[in-house]
Amino acid sequence: MKEKKSPQRMCIACRTMRDKRELIRIVKSPEGVISLDFTGKKNGRGAYVCPSEACINKCRKAKLLNRAFSSQVDDEVYDNLIKELKLENG
């Protein structure tokens, strides 16, 4: 029996391909609200980032989420990403 392949996604910061489950999905809902999506099932446009502070800081510095969502992204979103990352890693 064939082993099921897991979907691959690219981190918008370091541009490496990884399993979808290894990355953090950031989603912009149709209403324009930007949030973290741990289920991978929220409605809207998604962008994937490695769960590392270096990649998140690179996103902030280069304004990569602005480009991914074609809109202005507040620093608060990046702060929440780093906060969630620290909670996740303990």
Side-chain angles (χ1 to χ4, degrees):
M1 199 157 96
K2 268 181 119 175
E3 210 176 292
K4 191 175 179 186
K5 281 176 60 175
S6 61
Q8 299 279 299
R9 296 291 183 268
M10 186 185 291
C11 171
I12 62 172
C14 64
R15 315 284 293 162
T16 54
M17 293 294 283
R18 298 172 83 174
D19 281 355
K20 184 178 170 182
R21 296 190 191 285
E22 291 176 21
L23 298 167
I24 300 171
R25 183 172 188 248
I26 305 153
V27 67
K28 180 181 177 189
S29 70
E31 295 80 40
V33 179
I34 296 172
S35 62
L36 299 178
D37 179 13
F38 294 106
T39 62
K41 293 180 166 74
K42 281 188 181 176
N43 236 356
R45 174 103 173 108
Y48 292 85
V49 181
C50 292
S52 76
E53 222 170 307
C55 280
I56 294 168
N57 287 331
K58 187 173 179 181
C59 279
R60 180 191 304 233
K61 193 173 177 190
K63 299 189 183 313
L64 296 174
L65 287 179
N66 292 8
R67 193 175 307 152
F69 297 135
S70 302
S71 66
Q72 188 64 37
V73 177
D74 296 332
D75 274 347
E76 187 182 311
V77 173
Y78 296 104
D79 294 337
N80 286 342
L81 266 174
I82 290 171
K83 200 183 300 175
E84 290 286 339
L85 183 68
K86 287 180 179 172
L87 286 175
E88 194 96 354
N89 293 340

